[in-house]
């Protein structure tokens, strides 16, 4: 696995809360909620494992035994390619714990990112290198997301050049890039503590991001100056990657898109 990117999947529970989808499905973790008859986490790991660009796959989850209980993952666990890391109550602490001892660069995604694919992973990694980034965030354009499914996303970040949706995929070049994450260690639920966000990004940067003043690239250039790192947006062509499973509606959308992919693959055989 030398020279490959390490993947980190965030699969822990939200601290102090029970996810409604997990309750409805009768499972302990949101990552176990089935989408097209398979746990969300398995979809994500399957995509990572199928990518020749990904080496070790680390999963941050409070109860590592959850992975061992999924027969679909036992081969990867036995081979040592899939490793469970104990999640922490704070999201950033989970990232830092899972990154400890990992081979960089590091691709971070979430267990509800079920429409992730090996081509999207390759596009992300190539984009990070092309941008000369220390850290990167994946986005998809509004038109691409709606082309994947008209109900895939209802909220977009509007900028001078276009409107975008986050793809729940992040990249860190090396351990130095973790310095930006340290800023949020005490942030907790950021929405409830806006002053902490202002302290991290700066008021002007947040206003520009919130109201789409300037282009997406220019906004990230300002973030880069704030953190003294090159933080770049990478635009993915497959808008489906921006459709994560957050509720019953997006669970249905993801099932439909995955079902469509299965039909296309079967027709191609």
């Amino acid at each position: 696995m030398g020279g490959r990117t390490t993947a980190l999947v965030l699969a822990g529970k939200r601290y102090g809360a029970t996810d409604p989808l997990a309750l409805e499905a009768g499972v302990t973790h949101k990552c176990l909620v089935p989408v097209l008859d398979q746990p969300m986490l398995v979809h994500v790991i399957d995509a990572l494992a199928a990518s020749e660009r990904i080496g070790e796959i680390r999963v941050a989850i409070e109860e590592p035994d959850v992975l061992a209980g999924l027969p679909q993952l036992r081969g990867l666990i036995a081979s040592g390619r899939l490793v469970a890391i104990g999640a922490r109550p704070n999201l950033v602490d989970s990232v830092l714990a899972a990154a400890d001892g990992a081979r960089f660069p590091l691709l971070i995604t979430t267990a509800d990112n079920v429409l992730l694919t090996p081509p999207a992973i390759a596009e992300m990694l190539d984009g990070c290198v092309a941008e000369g980034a220390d850290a990167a965030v994946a986005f998809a354009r509004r038109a691409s997301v709606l082309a994947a499914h008209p109900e895939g996303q209802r909220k977009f970040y509007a900028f001078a050049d276009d409107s975008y949706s986050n793809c729940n995929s992040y990249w860190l070049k090396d351990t130095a890039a973790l310095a930006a994450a340290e800023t949020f260690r005490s942030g907790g639920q950021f929405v409830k503590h806006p002053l902490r966000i202002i302290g991290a990004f700066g008021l002007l940067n947040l206003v520009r991001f919130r109201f789409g003043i300037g282009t997406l690239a220019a906004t990230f250039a300002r973030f880069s100056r704030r953190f003294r790192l090159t933080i770049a947006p990478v635009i993915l062509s497959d808008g489906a990657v921006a459709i994560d499973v957050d509720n019953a509606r997006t669970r249905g959308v993801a099932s439909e898109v995955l079902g469509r992919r299965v039909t296309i693959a079967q027709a191609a055989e």
Side-chain angles (χ1 to χ4, degrees), residues 54-55 72 80 89 133 136 181 198 200-201 241 253:
I54 298 296
Q72 304 96 318
I198 291 171
F201 285 102
V241 187
V253 168

Side-chain angles (χ1 to χ4, degrees), residues 230-249:
T230 301
I231 307 174
V234 174
I235 313 304
L236 302 184
S237 56
D238 184 2
V241 187
I243 305 172
D244 56 336
V245 178
D246 277 334
N247 49 43
R249 177 183 62 81

Side-chain angles (χ1 to χ4, degrees), residues 31-107:
C31 68
L32 299 179
V33 172
V35 175
L36 206 67
D37 300 322
Q38 183 155 267
M40 289 197 286
L41 178 61
V42 174
H43 285 292
V44 177
I45 292 178
D46 279 351
L48 293 167
S51 171
E52 61 183 17
R53 307 283 293 274
I54 298 296
E56 184 181 51
I57 302 169
R58 297 186 168 201
V59 178
I61 190 166
E62 296 88 350
E63 302 165 27
D65 288 346
V66 168
L67 269 64
L70 295 171
Q72 304 96 318
L73 304 181
R74 288 173 187 164
L76 287 170
I77 294 172
S79 72
R81 190 178 180 193
L82 179 62
V83 179
I85 307 290
R88 306 295 193 267
N90 182 288
L91 180 64
V92 174
D93 282 334
S94 289
V95 172
L96 296 175
D100 186 33
R103 181 188 294 272
F104 279 75
L106 188 68
L107 176 68

